[in-house]
PDB file of all heavy atoms in Angstrom:
ATOM      1  N   SER A 131      -6.218 201.696 214.656  1.00 90.00           N
ATOM      2  CA  SER A 131      -7.051 202.495 215.635  1.00 90.00           C
ATOM      3  C   SER A 131      -6.239 202.746 216.869  1.00 90.00           C
ATOM      4  O   SER A 131      -6.796 202.657 217.992  1.00 90.00           O
ATOM      5  CB  SER A 131      -8.364 201.774 215.916  1.00 90.00           C
ATOM      6  OG  SER A 131      -9.245 202.642 216.493  1.00 90.00           O
ATOM      7  N   THR A 132      -4.975 203.166 216.757  1.00 90.00           N
ATOM      8  CA  THR A 132      -4.162 203.516 217.909  1.00 90.00           C
ATOM      9  C   THR A 132      -4.539 204.899 218.455  1.00 90.00           C
ATOM     10  O   THR A 132      -4.623 205.821 217.669  1.00 90.00           O
ATOM     11  CB  THR A 132      -2.692 203.440 217.573  1.00 90.00           C
ATOM     12  OG1 THR A 132      -2.412 202.194 216.942  1.00 90.00           O
ATOM     13  CG2 THR A 132      -1.825 203.619 218.794  1.00 90.00           C
ATOM     14  N   HIS A 133      -4.715 204.995 219.764  1.00 91.00           N
ATOM     15  CA  HIS A 133      -5.179 206.293 220.324  1.00 91.00           C
ATOM     16  C   HIS A 133      -3.980 207.041 220.845  1.00 91.00           C
ATOM     17  O   HIS A 133      -2.912 206.482 221.112  1.00 91.00           O
ATOM     18  CB  HIS A 133      -6.138 205.985 221.542  1.00 91.00           C
ATOM     19  CG  HIS A 133      -7.456 205.378 221.115  1.00 91.00           C
ATOM     20  ND1 HIS A 133      -8.620 206.056 221.254  1.00 91.00           N
ATOM     21  CD2 HIS A 133      -7.728 204.195 220.539  1.00 91.00           C
ATOM     22  CE1 HIS A 133      -9.623 205.199 220.837  1.00 91.00           C
ATOM     23  NE2 HIS A 133      -9.078 204.097 220.384  1.00 91.00           N
ATOM     24  N   ALA A 134      -4.152 208.361 220.980  1.00 90.00           N
ATOM     25  CA  ALA A 134      -3.067 209.239 221.540  1.00 90.00           C
ATOM     26  C   ALA A 134      -2.761 208.762 222.958  1.00 90.00           C
ATOM     27  O   ALA A 134      -3.636 208.434 223.717  1.00 90.00           O
ATOM     28  CB  ALA A 134      -3.561 210.716 221.564  1.00 90.00           C
ATOM     29  N   GLY A 135      -1.496 208.763 223.277  1.00 91.00           N
ATOM     30  CA  GLY A 135      -1.082 208.331 224.619  1.00 91.00           C
ATOM     31  C   GLY A 135      -0.903 206.839 224.845  1.00 91.00           C
ATOM     32  O   GLY A 135      -0.449 206.425 225.856  1.00 91.00           O
ATOM     33  N   ASP A 136      -1.240 206.047 223.778  1.00 92.00           N
ATOM     34  CA  ASP A 136      -1.073 204.583 223.857  1.00 92.00           C
ATOM     35  C   ASP A 136       0.417 204.249 223.992  1.00 92.00           C
ATOM     36  O   ASP A 136       1.204 204.716 223.129  1.00 92.00           O
ATOM     37  CB  ASP A 136      -1.699 203.959 222.617  1.00 92.00           C
ATOM     38  CG  ASP A 136      -1.770 202.428 222.755  1.00 92.00           C
ATOM     39  OD1 ASP A 136      -0.938 201.853 223.502  1.00 92.00           O
ATOM     40  OD2 ASP A 136      -2.611 201.865 222.095  1.00 92.00           O
ATOM     41  N   PRO A 137       0.834 203.583 225.045  1.00 92.00           N
ATOM     42  CA  PRO A 137       2.283 203.281 225.176  1.00 92.00           C
ATOM     43  C   PRO A 137       2.774 202.202 224.242  1.00 92.00           C
ATOM     44  O   PRO A 137       3.997 201.990 224.104  1.00 92.00           O
ATOM     45  CB  PRO A 137       2.367 202.812 226.653  1.00 92.00           C
ATOM     46  CG  PRO A 137       1.027 202.214 226.939  1.00 92.00           C
ATOM     47  CD  PRO A 137       0.049 203.017 226.137  1.00 92.00           C
ATOM     48  N   LEU A 138       1.897 201.445 223.559  1.00 92.00           N
ATOM     49  CA  LEU A 138       2.311 200.300 222.743  1.00 92.00           C
ATOM     50  C   LEU A 138       3.260 200.666 221.640  1.00 92.00           C
ATOM     51  O   LEU A 138       4.295 199.997 221.489  1.00 92.00           O
ATOM     52  CB  LEU A 138       1.110 199.608 222.216  1.00 92.00           C
ATOM     53  CG  LEU A 138       1.346 198.306 221.406  1.00 92.00           C
ATOM     54  CD1 LEU A 138       2.108 197.308 222.254  1.00 92.00           C
ATOM     55  CD2 LEU A 138       0.085 197.696 220.894  1.00 92.00           C
ATOM     56  N   PRO A 139       3.031 201.734 220.832  1.00 91.00           N
ATOM     57  CA  PRO A 139       4.022 202.035 219.775  1.00 91.00           C
ATOM     58  C   PRO A 139       5.427 202.262 220.305  1.00 91.00           C
ATOM     59  O   PRO A 139       6.394 201.794 219.641  1.00 91.00           O
ATOM     60  CB  PRO A 139       3.412 203.343 219.160  1.00 91.00           C
ATOM     61  CG  PRO A 139       1.970 203.236 219.409  1.00 91.00           C
ATOM     62  CD  PRO A 139       1.843 202.640 220.770  1.00 91.00           C
ATOM     63  N   ASP A 140       5.546 202.968 221.396  1.00 89.00           N
ATOM     64  CA  ASP A 140       6.896 203.224 221.930  1.00 89.00           C
ATOM     65  C   ASP A 140       7.545 201.907 222.457  1.00 89.00           C
ATOM     66  O   ASP A 140       8.777 201.752 222.314  1.00 89.00           O
ATOM     67  CB  ASP A 140       6.868 204.224 223.056  1.00 89.00           C
ATOM     68  CG  ASP A 140       6.669 205.660 222.546  1.00 89.00           C
ATOM     69  OD1 ASP A 140       6.905 205.883 221.383  1.00 89.00           O
ATOM     70  OD2 ASP A 140       6.171 206.495 223.373  1.00 89.00           O
ATOM     71  N   ARG A 141       6.745 201.035 223.024  1.00 90.00           N
ATOM     72  CA  ARG A 141       7.313 199.797 223.492  1.00 90.00           C
ATOM     73  C   ARG A 141       7.743 198.879 222.338  1.00 90.00           C
ATOM     74  O   ARG A 141       8.760 198.174 222.395  1.00 90.00           O
ATOM     75  CB  ARG A 141       6.289 199.045 224.362  1.00 90.00           C
ATOM     76  CG  ARG A 141       5.913 199.804 225.627  1.00 90.00           C
ATOM     77  CD  ARG A 141       5.209 198.948 226.609  1.00 90.00           C
ATOM     78  NE  ARG A 141       5.983 197.803 227.059  1.00 90.00           N
ATOM     79  CZ  ARG A 141       5.527 196.793 227.810  1.00 90.00           C
ATOM     80  NH1 ARG A 141       4.265 196.830 228.216  1.00 90.00           N
ATOM     81  NH2 ARG A 141       6.282 195.810 228.161  1.00 90.00           N
ATOM     82  N   LEU A 142       7.030 198.980 221.233  1.00 88.00           N
ATOM     83  CA  LEU A 142       7.437 198.177 220.071  1.00 88.00           C
ATOM     84  C   LEU A 142       8.692 198.701 219.438  1.00 88.00           C
ATOM     85  O   LEU A 142       9.427 197.943 218.770  1.00 88.00           O
ATOM     86  CB  LEU A 142       6.272 198.147 219.042  1.00 88.00           C
ATOM     87  CG  LEU A 142       5.007 197.372 219.421  1.00 88.00           C
ATOM     88  CD1 LEU A 142       3.887 197.606 218.399  1.00 88.00           C
ATOM     89  CD2 LEU A 142       5.319 195.894 219.575  1.00 88.00           C
ATOM     90  N   ARG A 143       8.929 200.001 219.565  1.00 84.00           N
ATOM     91  CA  ARG A 143      10.146 200.571 219.008  1.00 84.00           C
ATOM     92  C   ARG A 143      11.417 200.028 219.601  1.00 84.00           C
ATOM     93  O   ARG A 143      12.482 200.026 219.042  1.00 84.00           O
ATOM     94  CB  ARG A 143      10.128 202.100 219.178  1.00 84.00           C
ATOM     95  CG  ARG A 143       9.131 202.792 218.255  1.00 84.00           C
ATOM     96  CD  ARG A 143       9.326 204.328 218.372  1.00 84.00           C
ATOM     97  NE  ARG A 143      10.629 204.745 217.905  1.00 84.00           N
ATOM     98  CZ  ARG A 143      11.257 205.915 218.241  1.00 84.00           C
ATOM     99  NH1 ARG A 143      10.613 206.708 219.054  1.00 84.00           N
ATOM    100  NH2 ARG A 143      12.375 206.171 217.734  1.00 84.00           N
ATOM    101  N   ASP A 144      11.230 199.469 220.835  1.00 84.00           N
ATOM    102  CA  ASP A 144      12.422 198.862 221.537  1.00 84.00           C
ATOM    103  C   ASP A 144      12.708 197.450 221.084  1.00 84.00           C
ATOM    104  O   ASP A 144      13.653 196.850 221.488  1.00 84.00           O
ATOM    105  CB  ASP A 144      12.195 198.885 223.047  1.00 84.00           C
ATOM    106  CG  ASP A 144      12.053 200.305 223.585  1.00 84.00           C
ATOM    107  OD1 ASP A 144      12.708 201.188 223.025  1.00 84.00           O
ATOM    108  OD2 ASP A 144      11.379 200.498 224.588  1.00 84.00           O
ATOM    109  N   ILE A 145      11.793 196.944 220.215  1.00 88.00           N
ATOM    110  CA  ILE A 145      11.963 195.571 219.709  1.00 88.00           C
ATOM    111  C   ILE A 145      12.343 195.650 218.228  1.00 88.00           C
ATOM    112  O   ILE A 145      11.690 196.421 217.455  1.00 88.00           O
ATOM    113  CB  ILE A 145      10.639 194.788 219.839  1.00 88.00           C
ATOM    114  CG1 ILE A 145      10.178 194.825 221.258  1.00 88.00           C
ATOM    115  CG2 ILE A 145      10.801 193.366 219.344  1.00 88.00           C
ATOM    116  CD1 ILE A 145       8.733 194.209 221.516  1.00 88.00           C
ATOM    117  N   PRO A 146      13.332 194.923 217.740  1.00 86.00           N
ATOM    118  CA  PRO A 146      13.730 195.004 216.361  1.00 86.00           C
ATOM    119  C   PRO A 146      12.733 194.342 215.449  1.00 86.00           C
ATOM    120  O   PRO A 146      12.995 193.226 214.895  1.00 86.00           O
ATOM    121  CB  PRO A 146      15.078 194.329 216.332  1.00 86.00           C
ATOM    122  CG  PRO A 146      15.011 193.355 217.451  1.00 86.00           C
ATOM    123  CD  PRO A 146      14.178 194.007 218.539  1.00 86.00           C
ATOM    124  N   VAL A 147      11.571 195.007 215.178  1.00 89.00           N
ATOM    125  CA  VAL A 147      10.570 194.431 214.342  1.00 89.00           C
ATOM    126  C   VAL A 147       9.923 195.587 213.558  1.00 89.00           C
ATOM    127  O   VAL A 147       9.793 196.678 214.107  1.00 89.00           O
ATOM    128  CB  VAL A 147       9.472 193.650 215.144  1.00 89.00           C
ATOM    129  CG1 VAL A 147       8.694 194.567 216.094  1.00 89.00           C
ATOM    130  CG2 VAL A 147       8.546 192.931 214.233  1.00 89.00           C
ATOM    131  N   ALA A 148       9.561 195.357 212.255  1.00 92.00           N
ATOM    132  CA  ALA A 148       8.944 196.360 211.470  1.00 92.00           C
ATOM    133  C   ALA A 148       7.561 196.631 211.997  1.00 92.00           C
ATOM    134  O   ALA A 148       6.809 195.705 212.342  1.00 92.00           O
ATOM    135  CB  ALA A 148       8.902 195.895 210.013  1.00 92.00           C
ATOM    136  N   ALA A 149       7.181 197.898 212.051  1.00 93.00           N
ATOM    137  CA  ALA A 149       5.813 198.230 212.535  1.00 93.00           C
ATOM    138  C   ALA A 149       5.291 199.453 211.681  1.00 93.00           C
ATOM    139  O   ALA A 149       5.992 200.426 211.475  1.00 93.00           O
ATOM    140  CB  ALA A 149       5.840 198.668 214.007  1.00 93.00           C
TER     141      ALA A 149
END
Side-chain angles (χ1 to χ4, degrees):
S131 196
T132 308
H133 294 245
D136 188 334
L138 184 59
D140 286 339
R141 296 193 64 187
L142 290 174
R143 287 186 65 201
D144 297 331
I145 305 171
V147 65

